[in-house]
Amino acid sequence: MLHLVGISFLNHKMMGQIKEAKKLWQDGIAKNITFIVTKDCQLACKYCYLVGKNSKERMSWDIAKQAIDYILDNEQSFQEKSVVWDFIGGEPFLEIELIEKICNYIKIELFKRNHHWFDSYRFSFSTNGLNYHEEKVQSFIKKNIDHLSIGITIDGTELKHDLNRIYKNTGKGSYKDVVRNIPLWLEQFPGDGTKVTISSPDLPYIKESVLHLYNLGIHEVNINCVFEDVWQEGDDSLFEEQLIQLADSIIDNGLYEKNDCSFFSEHLGKPLDCKLQNQNWCGAGMMLAVDAAGNFYPCTRFAQYSLRNKKAWIIGNVHDGLDKNKLRPFLTLDRCTQSPPECIDCEVAEGCAWCQGENYDAADTNTIYQRSTAICKMHKARVRANNYYWNKLYRKLESEDECDRSGTGKNESNDINS
């Protein structure tokens, strides 16, 4: 049986020493609307779930305007308090001129209509960072910085990054071209984090990669395993080993005081009561995505370029609007309706994630009610390492607390390489 550890062991003083993970802007009360502005990208990342990237499917201004007009004309159907206008590709900044036009139009229309989203919106980007420094991109950032969230994807050390994130035409690694833009990005968005993806070949480089990102000045590392069925025999053991080594480095050197790593969470690895904790993990169906053809999707993962085995799940278009009947199956999704019994009864179910699009793509039939369990062993390995992390941190903070009460203490090294 896995040994479960609760954060409740830590007293209030100890808890004050643990940096809480930064919450997403307006999390839970914002509508997420995604423009797939292009399916092109400079890179051909080996783990990328976008299997249909190409240079032909680019959104036109006419389609973008029709999508915005439909959404704003139907304010009664989009009653969320706030909105995140999300731009993805491929690489979204390849279409910076279109994006600037879209954002200008959105701001003007929100004002003209006295829309309830006026001054309660954000433009969000996840970028590979290659053209972040370019003049047109920087001009856009400076004009909109008070309403912007931008994450640059850098996978860690040069070795780990270049193992997967390679140029599509040459196969050359992209690390050096990305890392040169990190200082500028951190200057403009000091609180934003990066997104790191883990796949089977790069498991041995997790520890050194997270520490490397901390050294670059990135204090929030959002890191996750791919949901696809790519895992090999023994990967879970290697994963656990790397996370334990990472835990030792973070705790021994006090890095938890200023840095976050999403692999370690106090809300992880406990049983769940489906009557009380039956919400869907994924926001598919609550979000809205639109592509270059003007089709609407419940999430970008249901667009054709994201799917290996299934047909796109289209829920409407900019001409005819949303088809609520095609959206209806997503409104009844919860943990129990899609999980097999072993997931519902799992003693470490809390924090085990899934992707609705991957569930659909990997299912035996055209259903969203069959949960993929490809990351089961990886989740359990993470839970074991997470228990190790919190046990060790508890012991350290308890010892320091006792030293403070007795008037004795010692300085600890902050050298993360020690």
Side-chain angles (χ1 to χ4, degrees):
M1 177 172 175
L2 292 168
H3 177 53
L4 303 179
V5 175
I7 193 63
S8 58
F9 284 126
L10 304 180
N11 63 30
H12 292 297
K13 183 174 186 225
M14 293 175 180
M15 281 296 293
Q17 299 178 60
I18 302 172
K19 186 176 181 295
E20 293 186 0
K22 186 183 73 174
K23 293 182 179 179
L24 296 174
W25 180 79
Q26 300 292 70
D27 191 23
I29 61 173
K31 183 73 173 183
N32 187 285
I33 299 172
T34 300
F35 292 88
I36 306 173
V37 292
T38 180
K39 294 181 180 176
D40 195 13
C41 185
Q42 308 99 314
L43 303 181
C45 300
K46 296 177 182 178
Y47 51 56
C48 186
Y49 64 86
L50 300 175
V51 294
K53 289 192 292 188
N54 65 81
S55 59
K56 297 178 181 179
E57 295 181 80
R58 300 167 55 201
M59 183 173 286
S60 68
W61 162 243
D62 182 60
I63 289 294
K65 182 179 181 300
Q66 288 185 65
I68 298 166
D69 288 342
Y70 171 77
I71 292 164
L72 299 186
D73 285 343
N74 291 274
E75 188 173 356
Q76 72 282 358
S77 298
F78 299 91
Q79 296 186 6
E80 290 84 355
K81 179 180 178 180
S82 306
V83 62
V84 175
W85 303 95
D86 189 28
F87 298 89
I88 70 165
E91 168 51 42
F93 283 140
L94 290 176
E95 295 294 328
I96 186 59
E97 293 178 352
L98 172 64
I99 289 170
E100 173 125 32
K101 195 170 184 179
I102 291 173
C103 293
N104 287 343
Y105 185 70
I106 287 172
K107 290 185 289 185
I108 292 170
E109 287 299 306
L110 290 178
F111 174 76
K112 284 170 56 178
R113 297 164 182 258
N114 192 26
H115 197 283
H116 73 278
W117 285 341
F118 178 70
D119 207 35
S120 190
Y121 67 89
R122 181 156 294 193
F123 300 132
S124 177
F125 298 82
S126 181
T127 172
N128 60 34
L130 294 176
N131 57 346
Y132 185 86
H133 62 287
E134 291 180 359
E135 183 178 347
K136 290 180 180 180
V137 175
Q138 282 300 303
S139 175
F140 171 82
I141 289 172
K142 290 170 184 176
K143 186 165 69 173
N144 295 283
I145 196 161
D146 291 335
H147 288 277
L148 272 185
S149 175
I150 299 180
I152 291 182
T153 300
I154 181 169
D155 259 2
T157 62
E158 184 171 2
L159 175 62
K160 177 181 170 359
H161 183 98
D162 287 350
L163 192 64
N164 285 303
R165 302 187 67 81
I166 59 175
Y167 281 98
K168 65 178 181 181
N169 295 325
T170 66
K172 174 189 172 187
S174 60
Y175 174 87
K176 290 180 179 177
D177 294 327
V178 176
V179 77
R180 66 176 180 173
N181 285 325
I182 296 300
L184 175 60
W185 169 61
L186 290 176
E187 179 184 341
Q188 294 171 327
F189 301 96
D192 281 8
T194 191
K195 182 178 70 174
V196 178
T197 300
I198 302 297
S199 59
S200 183
D202 48 67
L203 283 171
Y205 313 113
I206 294 175
K207 172 201 164 185
E208 61 187 42
S209 288
V210 173
L211 299 182
H212 178 71
L213 294 172
Y214 289 166
N215 272 332
L216 289 178
I218 301 172
H219 299 299
E220 182 177 339
V221 177
N222 299 302
I223 186 167
N224 65 276
C225 297
V226 299
F227 290 104
E228 288 77 17
D229 189 7
V230 300
W231 304 105
Q232 306 297 317
E233 187 70 29
D235 278 353
D236 54 331
S237 297
L238 182 55
F239 184 43
E240 181 181 354
E241 178 185 334
Q242 279 288 302
L243 290 187
I244 287 176
Q245 291 178 20
L246 176 59
D248 286 338
S249 293
I250 290 174
I251 295 171
D252 292 347
N253 298 291
L255 300 179
Y256 55 86
E257 295 177 354
K258 294 182 179 180
N259 301 282
D260 290 322
C261 176
S262 61
F263 270 149
F264 302 121
S265 169
E266 60 268 37
H267 305 295
L268 176 70
K270 302 171 188 174
L272 289 176
D273 183 344
C274 270
K275 294 180 180 179
L276 301 175
Q277 298 167 294
N278 194 30
Q279 67 275 13
N280 192 27
W281 182 274
C282 172
M286 303 298 107
M287 303 179 286
L288 182 68
V290 57
D291 68 2
N295 291 318
F296 289 142
Y297 304 93
C299 165
T300 58
R301 289 295 299 256
F302 288 86
Q304 194 61 63
Y305 82 140
S306 299
L307 298 168
R308 305 178 306 276
N309 306 309
K310 299 292 196 303
K311 295 294 184 182
W313 193 306
I314 298 173
I315 58 171
N317 58 66
V318 297
H319 309 294
D320 305 316
L322 285 170
D323 185 334
K324 293 185 178 179
N325 283 327
K326 293 181 179 178
L327 185 60
R328 197 178 305 277
F330 293 88
L331 304 182
T332 60
L333 272 173
D334 56 34
R335 183 181 298 270
C336 288
T337 57
Q338 61 188 298
S339 299
E342 58 266 29
C343 291
I344 296 172
D345 298 334
C346 179
E347 63 178 5
V348 293
E350 186 168 3
C352 186
W354 62 86
C355 167
Q356 212 67 58
E358 175 58 22
N359 287 355
Y360 169 61
D361 206 19
D364 297 328
T365 62
N366 294 330
T367 181
I368 54 174
Y369 293 98
Q370 182 178 331
R371 179 174 166 185
S372 171
T373 58
I375 64 166
C376 177
K377 289 184 178 180
M378 303 303 285
H379 171 71
K380 290 178 178 178
R382 179 191 173 196
V383 169
R384 293 191 294 269
N386 190 64
N387 290 342
Y388 174 87
Y389 176 92
W390 289 107
N391 268 313
K392 180 165 183 170
L393 181 58
Y394 163 69
R395 290 194 298 269
K396 178 181 180 180
L397 296 181
E398 183 182 47
S399 175
E400 290 177 354
D401 193 49
E402 290 175 353
C403 288
D404 288 344
R405 289 197 300 268
S406 65
T408 62
K410 59 182 180 178
N411 294 325
E412 295 193 35
S413 168
N414 287 318
D415 178 7
I416 69 173
N417 295 313
S418 62

